[in-house]
Amino acid sequence: MREDVEALDIRDVTANWVNAIVLQAQIDDRIKALADLAHTPLFFGRLNYLHAPGAELAEGAEGEQFYIGRRHVHDADGDPMVIDWRAPVSQPFYRASKKDPQDIALRRRFGYTGGELTAYEDEHLSDPSEAAAVSKLLQQEIERPRVGPMRDIVATIQPEQDEIVRSGLSGSVCVQGGPGTGKTAVGLHRVAYLLYAHRERLARTGTLVIGPNRSFLHYIEQVLPALGELEVKQATVEDLVTQGGLEVRGADAAATAVVKGDARMAQVLRHAVRSHVTPPTEPLMVVRGSRRWRVPAYELEEIVTELQARDIRYGAARDALPQRIAHTVLVRMEQAGEAPDDRVQDSVARTPAVKAAVKAMWPAVDPAKLVLRLLSDAEFLAEHARGVLSEEEQELLLWAKPPRSVKSAKWSAADLVLIDEASDLVERTHSLGHVVLDEAQDLSPMQYRAVGRRCTTGSATVLGDLAQGTTPWATRSWDEALAHLGKAEAVLEELTAGFRVPREVIAYASRLLPAISPGLAAVSSVRETPGSLVVAPAVDGAGLTASVIEACRASLGHEGSIGLIAADARIAELAGALEAAGMAYLSPGDETTAASRLTLVPASLAKGLEYDYVVLDEPAAIVSGEPDERTGLRRLYVCLTRAVSGLTLLHADPLPEALAA
């Protein structure tokens, strides 16, 4: 198929050089989408229908057979050989069961090793004499060692996951899922499905995947290209709000960041932006040739008041103001017997007198300068935060030493979100067709608003786990988060079946749930792996580091990736110990290979990542490294649940009370 596209000759089908460039770009994209992936088979399943799909279920009617794969594949004549997993005819591969066979006589799963077909497994779903059984190939695929970036799960999608993946574009979905439930994979495959089902619409409006950090985005970046989807952009929230050459150069204390992330800051900014409007006190005189046209102050004030009442963006109202004034002048001209047209109105709107009046009544607002003034000028902040923020909260916002300019300011991540909010008050943010927001539990209300602005006319897929909220401003409930996002109508789905973390490991980590997220259901893992959890004390601090290095060495004896996770403050010491032991290691985001499988992971970057075997260093240090105990225990919960096959926990200090029980 790729060679056919490469061989296309477009010289006789393009009308001009512009068409040729556009068509060639489309051909290049198609060639990229058809790239071969090493060790990735073209198909992973087969469906034998009792009857042809869509045909009458008559006696004696012949069924059809379809191979199911990651991509659509056709032969030289254009006839399909493999059906895309997203096609409606493929859906029973994920949904059919002995209780509901969906007209499927046989479902076959294929097993591969290194890209070569090595096994197959059949289920005769419509045969009442055959008992339902757990698929061994399915279990092996789920447990396959993880080396390299995150991979697709098209061969292992479960019925409850498939329902979310195939839900419509018009509605937003929020997925609450504990560790190992596959929520990230479900979100990415939902994007792939929506692009398949609504390609033209999303090609116009765009799609975006938002992750918590660059390491996470690098980990997931190959999933969609592996499914042939190359146009989906990926970003962090910080990427979204970075504009005008500004960048994060500072950090806020936790208490300050909580106030800056509070939704009430939107009210403060709104008041501050609107405060720039000044009612006119003098009439306006417009000179046209030998005539002078006077617009009284009260009429100008009526125009300003009417624009304020329409509640449109500040910049849009400012752009409309000169035209409204010019229209008033045109009415005067018509009353005097003249016959002006639209060109005259545009000319009047551009006169120096009208421009000066607009500048006085509705001056331009620079969002960054506005936020700079709010954080530097106590009186200006007090004026616009009165009745919204307490005096103590206002004190937290003010810079101890105000910067001289926007460029010299050491903006924090929360500051850039405030500037983004102010920018939207001035000029509407462009909306995309669909946005996927992963690890959403960690966002502040103002960050939710920033993401929501990117999908005001589109839909969203929100993914997260309330128990893994590791910021002081982490959301308390999805209803609250979705309201800030502007998607209060989103359907809430919960994934409780775990496929990644062994049952022994998730049960151990779930001891923390009553302390970090009371009432949240624990994940029920489908994988029972005896010996997957080892908890061992060290004699002292020095012995701990040596024990950790030895545990890493032992883990490398297993197949797959190894993650050494530790408190951020311990990373430097452990890095030195690994180097002294001659053990090469990677940083989060670096791609693991067969030759380099050990990654040293700061606890703050562990979220969303997964490793076959995890060595966890000193839980007490992870907890104490956070601003408060609850956040620390949530961070520990994240770290405990990164293992796919085995977890070795080593400690010198006493374990947190919930784990020691």
Side-chain angles (χ1 to χ4, degrees):
M1 290 170 66
R2 187 178 66 254
E3 288 169 353
D4 287 344
V5 178
E6 290 173 338
L8 288 174
D9 186 349
I10 63 173
R11 286 175 295 181
D12 296 330
V13 297
T14 54
N16 52 53
W17 65 272
V18 175
N19 288 350
I21 291 175
V22 172
L23 185 55
Q24 188 59 53
Q26 293 174 341
I27 289 173
D28 291 343
D29 287 343
R30 177 64 174 161
I31 291 170
K32 289 179 185 176
L34 289 171
D36 283 331
L37 297 174
H39 309 308
T40 301
L42 289 178
F43 60 90
F44 52 81
R46 194 182 98 188
L47 288 177
N48 284 27
Y49 276 80
L50 289 171
H51 308 84
E56 294 294 328
L57 306 185
E59 288 291 333
E62 291 188 11
E64 284 192 65
Q65 172 181 294
F66 300 96
Y67 285 90
I68 311 301
R70 288 165 175 76
R71 308 288 304 281
H72 168 81
V73 182
H74 61 249
D75 62 18
D77 297 323
D79 295 325
M81 299 176 66
V82 179
I83 305 298
D84 194 300
W85 66 276
R86 297 167 287 188
V89 76
S90 302
Q91 185 171 316
F93 185 81
Y94 304 105
R95 302 274 188 95
S97 65
K98 294 292 290 186
K99 291 183 179 179
D100 179 21
Q102 299 188 15
D103 200 42
I104 299 299
L106 177 143
R107 173 168 58 200
R108 174 170 289 178
R109 299 181 190 274
F110 295 96
Y112 292 85
T113 301
E116 292 188 0
L117 178 63
T118 54
Y120 68 88
E121 185 180 73
D122 288 346
E123 297 171 86
H124 298 87
L125 298 178
S126 297
D127 183 354
S129 65
E130 182 180 289
V134 177
S135 168
K136 292 182 179 179
L137 285 180
L138 181 64
Q139 189 169 352
Q140 288 172 6
E141 175 65 18
I142 291 173
E143 297 178 3
R144 183 157 55 96
R146 285 152 167 75
V147 174
M150 183 179 182
R151 59 176 182 256
D152 64 75
I153 61 165
V154 290
T156 63
I157 293 174
Q158 300 299 295
E160 63 271 23
Q161 295 174 326
D162 191 63
E163 288 184 17
I164 299 171
V165 167
R166 295 177 192 266
S167 54
L169 176 61
S170 59
S172 293
V173 179
C174 177
V175 182
Q176 158 65 40
T181 54
K183 57 185 178 295
T184 296
V186 165
L188 294 174
H189 287 68
R190 175 161 158 72
V191 172
Y193 172 77
L194 292 176
L195 286 167
Y196 175 89
H198 308 278
R199 189 166 301 282
E200 289 188 8
R201 178 176 170 185
L202 289 177
R204 294 193 307 270
T205 56
T207 51
L208 175 68
V209 174
I210 302 173
N213 53 57
R214 282 277 147 208
S215 297
F216 178 82
L217 292 179
H218 184 71
Y219 178 60
I220 68 170
E221 68 184 359
Q222 294 302 317
V223 174
L224 289 167
L227 301 174
E229 303 300 344
L230 306 174
E231 300 302 317
V232 181
K233 295 179 180 176
Q234 298 182 353
T236 64
V237 174
E238 187 177 309
D239 293 332
L240 295 184
V241 300
T242 299
Q243 54 184 300
L246 302 180
E247 58 184 26
V248 174
R249 296 170 53 213
D252 293 313
T256 299
V258 169
V259 178
K260 287 182 178 179
D262 194 294
R264 292 173 297 160
M265 287 301 299
Q267 292 178 257
V268 175
L269 289 165
R270 182 181 177 81
H271 293 163
V273 168
R274 293 288 172 175
S275 72
H276 288 76
V277 178
T278 305
T281 56
E282 297 180 356
L284 170 65
M285 195 69 68
V286 178
V287 178
R288 289 278 301 172
S290 61
R291 303 292 299 270
R292 294 159 63 90
W293 306 97
R294 182 176 181 275
V295 183
Y298 77 88
E299 283 197 42
L300 293 173
E301 186 172 359
E302 287 176 357
I303 294 172
V304 169
T305 302
E306 191 269 337
L307 283 172
Q308 286 179 306
R310 287 177 61 190
D311 198 32
I312 58 178
R313 293 297 193 278
Y314 184 92
R318 187 175 189 274
D319 292 340
L321 182 55
Q323 289 291 334
R324 298 298 298 274
I325 295 172
H327 178 73
T328 302
V329 173
L330 256 66
V331 171
R332 296 273 196 283
M333 292 179 178
E334 290 170 348
Q335 290 171 343
E338 295 188 18
D341 57 17
D342 290 346
R343 289 174 296 178
V344 174
Q345 179 169 322
D346 290 340
S347 177
V348 171
R350 293 194 299 269
T351 58
V354 172
K355 286 183 177 180
V358 170
K359 185 176 181 180
M361 292 183 290
W362 210 293
V365 171
D366 183 302
K369 289 181 179 178
L370 177 76
V371 173
L372 179 69
R373 187 178 177 191
L374 276 173
L375 301 180
S376 305
D377 186 335
E379 291 185 9
F380 187 68
L381 176 61
E383 178 185 352
H384 302 298
R386 188 175 296 113
V388 181
L389 301 178
S390 68
E391 291 184 5
E392 291 77 11
E393 289 172 323
Q394 293 177 38
E395 282 291 328
L396 287 171
L397 290 177
L398 290 168
W399 275 321
K401 186 179 179 182
R404 293 182 178 180
S405 67
V406 167
K407 294 296 183 183
S408 64
K410 292 185 177 180
W411 298 107
S412 68
D415 294 335
L416 295 188
V417 176
L418 297 179
I419 294 172
D420 189 70
E421 179 83 28
S423 297
D424 185 70
L425 290 168
V426 174
E427 185 175 347
R428 184 182 297 277
T429 305
H430 173 68
S431 175
L432 299 166
H434 193 77
V435 170
V436 174
L437 175 62
D438 206 352
E439 300 296 349
Q441 72 281 344
D442 277 337
L443 270 60
S444 70
M446 291 297 286
Q447 287 176 316
Y448 281 121
R449 290 175 61 88
V451 174
R453 285 192 283 279
R454 272 75 186 178
C455 55
T456 49
T457 59
S459 55
T461 299
V462 181
L463 312 165
D465 179 12
L466 295 177
Q468 295 187 59
T470 51
T471 56
W473 50 83
T475 189
R476 294 185 293 269
S477 74
W478 289 122
D479 286 344
E480 179 183 309
L482 293 169
H484 293 310
L485 192 69
K487 302 295 180 186
E489 78 291 348
V491 176
L492 179 62
E493 303 281 0
E494 188 168 6
L495 296 175
T496 57
F499 304 98
R500 173 172 57 80
V501 186
R503 187 176 302 171
E504 297 78 6
V505 175
I506 196 65
Y508 184 72
S510 295
R511 295 181 185 182
L512 297 174
L513 285 178
I516 61 177
S517 202
L520 197 65
V523 172
S524 176
S525 178
V526 300
R527 296 179 54 212
E528 187 169 359
T529 313
S532 58
L533 174 66
V534 176
V535 179
V539 178
D540 53 43
L544 172 63
T545 299
S547 298
V548 166
I549 301 304
E550 189 54 40
C552 290
R553 198 183 302 278
S555 296
L556 286 167
H558 297 289
E559 187 180 2
S561 58
I562 314 298
L564 169 54
I565 304 177
D568 292 31
R570 288 268 296 156
I571 293 297
E573 180 180 338
L574 291 171
L578 287 171
E579 290 169 2
M583 299 174 66
Y585 63 89
L586 304 167
S587 298
D590 294 343
E591 189 171 323
T592 55
T593 64
S596 188
R597 299 183 288 122
L598 173 62
T599 304
L600 179 57
V601 187
S604 61
L605 296 180
K607 189 171 296 179
L609 305 179
E610 58 183 29
Y611 302 93
D612 287 291
Y613 292 87
V614 167
V615 177
L616 185 64
D617 172 89
E618 197 58 274
I622 293 173
V623 175
S624 63
E626 299 297 330
D628 58 82
E629 185 183 28
R630 187 186 187 198
T631 303
L633 289 174
R634 286 183 164 187
R635 181 77 70 189
L636 178 58
Y637 180 75
V638 171
C639 297
L640 286 168
T641 53
R642 300 304 94 201
V644 176
S645 297
L647 169 67
T648 300
L649 185 154
L650 299 167
H651 66 100
D653 294 334
L655 291 171
E657 186 177 340
L659 288 182

